[in-house]
Amino acid sequence: MKRAYNGSNRGLKRRKAGWLFRTDGSVSIFLIMVLAFVFLFDAVLIDYARIAAASTQGERLARAGIRSVLSAYDVRLLEKYGLFASGGTDGNMLLSSVLNDNLHESGRVDAFNLIQMGVESSTVEWTRPLGEYDIFRRQIIEEMKYKAPIDFALELGGKFKPLSGAMAEASQVTNVLRALQPLYDEREEALDQMIERRKQATESGRTMLQLIMNPPGDSLQPSTLGQVSTAADVAAQYDDFVYKYMWDMNRDSRESAKYTYPLSRYSQQSALVIQRIPQVMNTFREEHNVFIQQAESALLRARELNEEMKLVLEQSRNSGSDKRDRARDWDIPGSGGDEVDSDPLYKLREQEDTLILDQADFTSLEEHLAVQKRDFERLEPLTAALPGVLAESSGLYSDGSRMLGAVLAAARSVRDYLGSYGAGGSLIESELAALEEHRGSDKQRKQWEKEAKAKLGDAMKIIDKIRELSDRAGEAMQRYDTLQKYYEEILSLNKGLDDAGKDGQTSSDPYTAGSSAMTNMDGVYDVMTNALTGTRDRLFQTEYTALYFQHFDISALSSMASGEEDTNVDRLAAQMDPHAQELEYILYGFHNPAGNIAAAYGEIFAMRMAIRTMEGFVKKAGIGNPLAVLAAALLYGIEQAVQDMLKLCKDGSIPLSEFITAQFTYRDYLRVFLMLHGSGESQLSRMLAVIRLNTGINPAERNTYASANIRFGLRLWFLPGMVRLLNYSGALAGDVEGKVYYRKIQADSAY
């Protein structure tokens, strides 16, 4: 029994061990584990793919939505000014409509929507109003980047190119001669002063000569006692004095003295004359020395001015070498004729040296002054010795002939000195003639200067009359007040600074006006060169302004320019409205109608004067004296500019130059001035103010940049907890709330 128990026990153990180590069904469990993992992975992958697809679709919808919002631009701004800005439609409503239309499900019941998206929220934020300078300038550039360079090159640059070399030379000639002219006149005035002081020094001895001998002569004969007023009278009457004195002294004692009174009078008057001679001589010497010192100072000043003229001439030639023919590198063809010949201007510049006096000229003048001083020193001993010789007249045994000789010698020395250096003196007049010889056409030049100043004054009177037209503005002034208000609001928006309009009033001095006009022409070529060779923002703004804004009808000034009585008052009054002179207002910025028109008229006149003065240099170069050529050229330039303005008012256009047949309109001149005065922010403000006045649209309230902020939602199909874990790791860009994945998308766009 014991063995049987043991056997059964061992069988039980074997059965238990087999059960523990059986492998039946293990593969199924493994597959279940694998499938569970695969299912988990696939579920997460499917939702992740849906999230990625939803994000992509959401971004596309956001961009499409913001483009749709921007499509509602203001048509008036686009058609009238080529500008894009929001049209005032509610952007949130547009964006919501676009998103809902794109996310709307079809009506098919059997459709399967893999990406079930919904819009949680959507908003549009507007920024960058058109009234900001950077935005407005960028739209101008976009509008004009193709048109402006072509129009400018063909319509303006090509016309100015043939004039470049001649205008550059004319400018150099005008500026250097303008700088030399006051120095030259001051130098010549100093030389004239030197001559005049030498004459005055000499003429201060006229009293001395009259005291010695009046009138002076080459001989002196004895005379009877009489009036004694000169040294010659003392000497001439001495012998008669001795004779009569001896007669009275040797008379019969019974007779009374016969010549007591004449003798007494002779003695008294002779003593007075002898006493006055040293006094008059001292006065002569003092005045002579003062005037001679002033003459020396004037000569020194003339030398200093001559050196200044040399320096001006040297500096102008050194600084002007790089300013010739600035249009040479313009890659555009010239129009209107061949290049203007500059040879007469080159030759004129070579003659500028004739205005400078040589060192030898001043050495000669100094020597002449030294000779005069020596001549004075030679006459002084003779006059100084005269009182001592004449004092012997009080005695009875003096040598009368010695007195006569001393008087004649002193009188001759003073007379010769006066004859050489006094008024009309031979030596001083020959020196003056030598000075006049190098002055050339100074008298004629002064006459031309006088005529040029008078004609320039007449032209300025026309500009003054134009300024007075504001009195006829009437209701237009109210619109100018509104325009100024809009302008100030744009300045406030951009925190800009107001620059008061500058009328560029032409000087009444022909030299100053001519130099200023030439400087402005240099500026024109400078800005054109910059525009055509690189910097083009100014060009774009200039051409945009000229293209989209109305300019003044210059023909309304025809009667005023011709000096006739204005018969069309109503037409001129209509042109005072800001709508009729937008371009002038933008250019100059006067908040009154006449100020802008006067500024435009004056600046065109200055340009015409510069071009015509260049022509005058070419035509008048043969005169010789460079300053005379300048005066003649300025007179010609002013006369022709006046006629040009009259023709421009009547015909609306004039040839650019007598040598260039290309026509230039009033609008073309304004385009040039817009380039010249730059693309400043104040001009942008005035353009925006005019746009608001014309359209009623406030650029500060119309935006050009929109940002769409959209929140999409996507319901998850599997294991939102696992997706949330992925979101914690940063693999997703949104958030999981419950069983919904949310994603914020921002889309930006601008015109």
Side-chain angles (χ1 to χ4, degrees):
M1 291 296 291
K2 186 177 181 180
R3 184 178 300 170
Y5 172 80
N6 289 337
S8 62
N9 190 32
R10 286 196 297 271
L12 179 61
K13 290 182 178 178
R14 284 195 299 270
R15 287 194 296 269
K16 290 181 178 180
W19 178 81
L20 289 174
F21 294 97
R22 287 179 63 184
T23 60
D24 296 342
S26 60
V27 174
S28 298
I29 296 173
F30 175 74
L31 287 176
I32 291 172
M33 294 176 61
V34 171
L35 288 174
F37 179 77
V38 170
F39 176 78
L40 176 63
F41 178 78
D42 288 343
V44 175
L45 183 62
I46 290 171
D47 273 347
Y48 185 80
R50 291 177 68 238
I51 290 172
S55 296
T56 301
Q57 184 177 351
E59 290 176 356
R60 290 176 179 175
L61 287 174
R63 288 195 292 270
I66 199 64
R67 287 196 299 269
S68 297
V69 171
L70 289 179
S71 67
Y73 52 80
D74 194 297
V75 178
R76 289 176 299 170
L77 286 176
L78 178 62
E79 293 178 349
K80 190 170 180 62
Y81 297 105
L83 301 173
F84 284 92
S86 60
T89 307
D90 187 350
N92 291 315
M93 182 183 68
L94 286 174
L95 179 62
S96 177
S97 177
V98 171
L99 294 177
N100 289 332
D101 289 344
N102 281 275
L103 293 176
H104 178 68
E105 296 183 2
S106 67
R108 293 182 58 182
V109 296
D110 59 342
F112 176 73
N113 190 356
L114 180 64
I115 307 174
Q116 298 175 342
M117 294 177 58
V119 178
E120 180 72 14
S121 64
S122 63
T123 58
V124 174
E125 180 181 356
W126 291 99
T127 54
R128 303 181 188 178
L130 181 62
E132 291 184 357
Y133 294 143
D134 291 341
I135 305 302
F136 186 41
R137 187 181 287 115
R138 180 174 59 81
Q139 291 213 20
I140 289 175
I141 293 173
E142 288 297 320
E143 174 69 11
M144 303 303 298
K145 63 183 178 183
Y146 298 115
K147 293 184 285 187
I150 297 174
D151 292 346
F152 182 82
L154 296 179
E155 297 176 10
L156 297 182
K159 295 177 182 179
F160 271 97
K161 185 175 182 179
L163 282 178
S164 175
M167 286 306 305
E169 285 300 321
S171 177
Q172 286 295 306
V173 170
T174 301
N175 289 332
V176 69
L177 293 181
R178 170 67 183 89
L180 290 174
Q181 180 263 335
L183 296 174
Y184 175 89
D185 286 344
E186 190 176 354
R187 185 195 68 187
E188 297 308 301
E189 184 180 352
L191 292 175
D192 287 340
Q193 186 180 30
M194 182 266 298
I195 294 293
E196 184 62 27
R197 292 297 180 267
R198 289 174 60 187
K199 287 182 180 181
Q200 290 176 332
T202 304
E203 287 297 322
S204 62
R206 185 74 62 181
T207 303
M208 186 67 198
L209 178 61
Q210 292 173 350
L211 182 61
I212 295 174
M213 190 176 185
N214 190 22
D218 294 328
S219 62
L220 182 61
Q221 300 298 325
S223 62
T224 60
L225 292 178
Q227 185 70 25
V228 178
S229 58
T230 65
D233 293 336
V234 175
Q237 296 178 27
Y238 176 72
D239 288 344
D240 190 50
F241 167 77
V242 172
Y243 168 78
K244 290 178 178 178
Y245 186 89
M246 296 300 296
W247 192 94
D248 274 354
M249 186 177 62
N250 297 323
R251 73 183 185 284
D252 190 329
S253 58
R254 289 174 296 182
E255 295 180 1
S256 59
K258 187 177 181 179
Y259 300 107
T260 301
Y261 176 72
L263 293 174
S264 174
R265 183 179 62 185
Y266 173 80
S267 298
Q268 293 176 357
Q269 291 180 347
S270 297
L272 291 175
V273 169
I274 296 170
Q275 183 181 1
R276 284 189 62 210
I277 289 176
Q279 297 174 353
V280 173
M281 188 60 204
N282 287 335
T283 301
F284 178 24
R285 184 186 303 106
E286 291 173 359
E287 291 180 356
H288 187 278
N289 290 340
V290 169
F291 286 127
I292 289 297
Q293 288 176 1
Q294 292 177 356
E296 291 174 338
S297 298
L299 183 57
L300 178 61
R301 178 58 181 160
R303 180 188 286 275
E304 293 172 349
L305 291 167
N306 194 68
E307 292 300 319
E308 289 183 33
M309 292 174 65
K310 284 183 181 179
L311 182 60
V312 168
L313 194 56
E314 181 180 354
Q315 290 176 344
S316 72
R317 290 174 176 173
N318 292 337
S319 62
S321 59
D322 60 340
K323 294 184 179 180
R324 296 183 179 180
D325 200 2
R326 283 153 292 185
R328 182 187 309 160
D329 298 329
W330 293 3
D331 190 18
I332 57 173
S335 61
D338 296 330
E339 199 168 312
V340 179
D341 184 14
S342 301
D343 287 343
L345 294 165
Y346 294 144
K347 294 177 181 178
L348 181 61
R349 294 215 65 188
E350 293 174 356
Q351 298 177 11
E352 292 168 350
D353 290 317
T354 60
L355 299 174
I356 309 298
L357 293 178
D358 296 333
Q359 180 65 32
D361 295 325
F362 284 98
T363 301
S364 176
L365 291 172
E366 290 171 350
E367 180 61 27
H368 292 159
L369 186 55
V371 170
Q372 181 176 354
K373 292 170 67 176
R374 289 195 295 270
D375 289 347
F376 175 77
E377 291 172 356
R378 281 194 291 268
L379 72 82
E380 193 171 13
L382 296 176
T383 56
L386 192 58
V389 175
L390 294 179
E392 298 176 1
S393 63
S394 60
L396 299 176
Y397 305 104
S398 299
D399 187 351
S401 61
R402 180 169 176 266
M403 291 184 190
L404 292 174
V407 169
L408 285 173
R412 189 179 298 113
S413 64
V414 176
R415 183 193 64 187
D416 292 346
Y417 186 69
L418 287 168
S420 297
Y421 304 106
S426 57
L427 294 181
I428 203 73
E429 288 298 326
S430 65
E431 294 178 27
L432 185 58
L435 289 177
E436 291 292 343
E437 184 177 355
H438 89 268
R439 290 173 179 173
S441 308
D442 273 10
K443 290 183 179 179
Q444 182 62 61
R445 173 173 69 91
K446 296 293 185 182
Q447 179 61 32
W448 286 332
E449 289 175 358
K450 184 178 180 181
E451 293 179 14
K453 187 172 184 179
K455 292 184 179 297
L456 184 60
D458 293 338
M460 294 304 101
K461 290 178 182 178
I462 297 176
I463 298 177
D464 291 337
K465 289 182 180 179
I466 296 175
R467 291 193 181 96
E468 296 172 359
L469 293 176
S470 291
D471 298 337
R472 305 182 186 180
E475 295 180 0
M477 284 305 300
Q478 297 179 3
R479 284 185 284 277
Y480 269 102
D481 293 339
T482 302
L483 198 58
Q484 184 170 12
K485 175 186 175 184
Y486 294 163
Y487 169 72
E488 291 173 350
E489 289 179 4
I490 292 295
L491 285 178
S492 178
L493 174 67
N494 292 276
K495 297 180 175 58
L497 296 177
D498 182 17
D499 60 338
K502 303 174 179 61
D503 62 359
Q505 185 172 1
T506 305
S507 171
S508 59
D509 176 59
Y511 290 106
T512 303
S515 179
S516 177
M518 287 296 181
T519 300
N520 287 339
M521 284 298 295
D522 289 342
V524 168
Y525 278 99
D526 287 339
V527 297
M528 283 188 174
T529 300
N530 293 335
L532 293 171
T533 59
T535 306
R536 297 193 174 183
D537 286 359
R538 176 180 293 184
L539 170 61
F540 296 150
Q541 183 169 322
T542 293
E543 292 301 287
Y544 177 85
T545 307
L547 180 62
Y548 284 104
F549 295 93
Q550 178 66 33
H551 64 75
F552 178 78
D553 183 3
I554 191 67
S555 63
L557 297 178
S558 298
S559 300
M560 190 172 294
S562 61
E564 302 173 358
E565 184 178 353
D566 191 1
T567 57
N568 198 345
V569 177
D570 293 338
R571 180 188 176 194
L572 189 56
Q575 290 295 310
M576 295 297 101
D577 193 276
H579 296 299
Q581 47 176 276
E582 297 169 352
L583 201 54
E584 290 82 0
Y585 165 72
I586 292 170
L587 175 57
Y588 299 106
F590 288 102
H591 287 94
N592 69 80
N596 297 307
I597 303 306
Y601 188 96
E603 199 160 15
I604 295 174
F605 175 82
M607 177 176 283
R608 296 309 308 166
M609 178 180 171
I611 295 174
R612 290 299 201 167
T613 299
M614 177 274 294
E615 297 174 5
F617 278 123
V618 175
K619 294 184 176 184
K620 308 293 183 181
I623 292 177
N625 186 301
L627 290 180
V629 174
L630 173 61
L634 287 173
L635 176 59
Y636 176 87
I638 294 170
E639 290 175 337
Q640 296 302 313
V642 171
Q643 296 302 314
D644 288 344
M645 296 306 297
L646 178 58
K647 181 175 177 60
L648 180 64
C649 292
K650 288 184 176 180
D651 301 340
S653 66
I654 49 177
L656 184 59
S657 167
E658 183 177 331
F659 308 127
I660 303 297
T661 58
Q663 293 291 313
F664 227 63
T665 66
Y666 174 72
R667 176 176 172 270
D668 291 334
Y669 284 106
L670 296 184
R671 291 165 70 187
V672 172
F673 300 147
L674 283 166
M675 283 288 297
L676 180 62
H677 298 313
S679 55
E681 294 179 345
S682 59
Q683 289 185 1
L684 294 175
S685 297
R686 291 193 283 270
M687 276 192 277
L688 291 167
V690 171
I691 290 173
R692 183 177 178 184
L693 183 68
N694 290 342
T695 64
I697 299 171
N698 186 356
E701 298 175 353
R702 295 301 178 90
N703 299 286
T704 63
Y705 191 97
S707 298
N709 295 286
I710 306 169
R711 190 169 189 246
F712 289 101
L714 175 68
R715 180 172 292 276
L716 300 174
W717 287 351
F718 309 101
L719 304 176
M722 293 300 297
V723 176
R724 192 178 295 110
L725 289 175
L726 289 174
N727 190 37
Y728 290 156
S729 66
L732 299 177
D735 299 315
V736 178
E737 298 178 7
K739 294 183 179 182
V740 181
Y741 171 78
Y742 292 101
R743 167 76 188 279
K744 292 181 180 179
I745 297 176
Q746 178 176 330
D748 301 272
S749 186
Y751 293 115

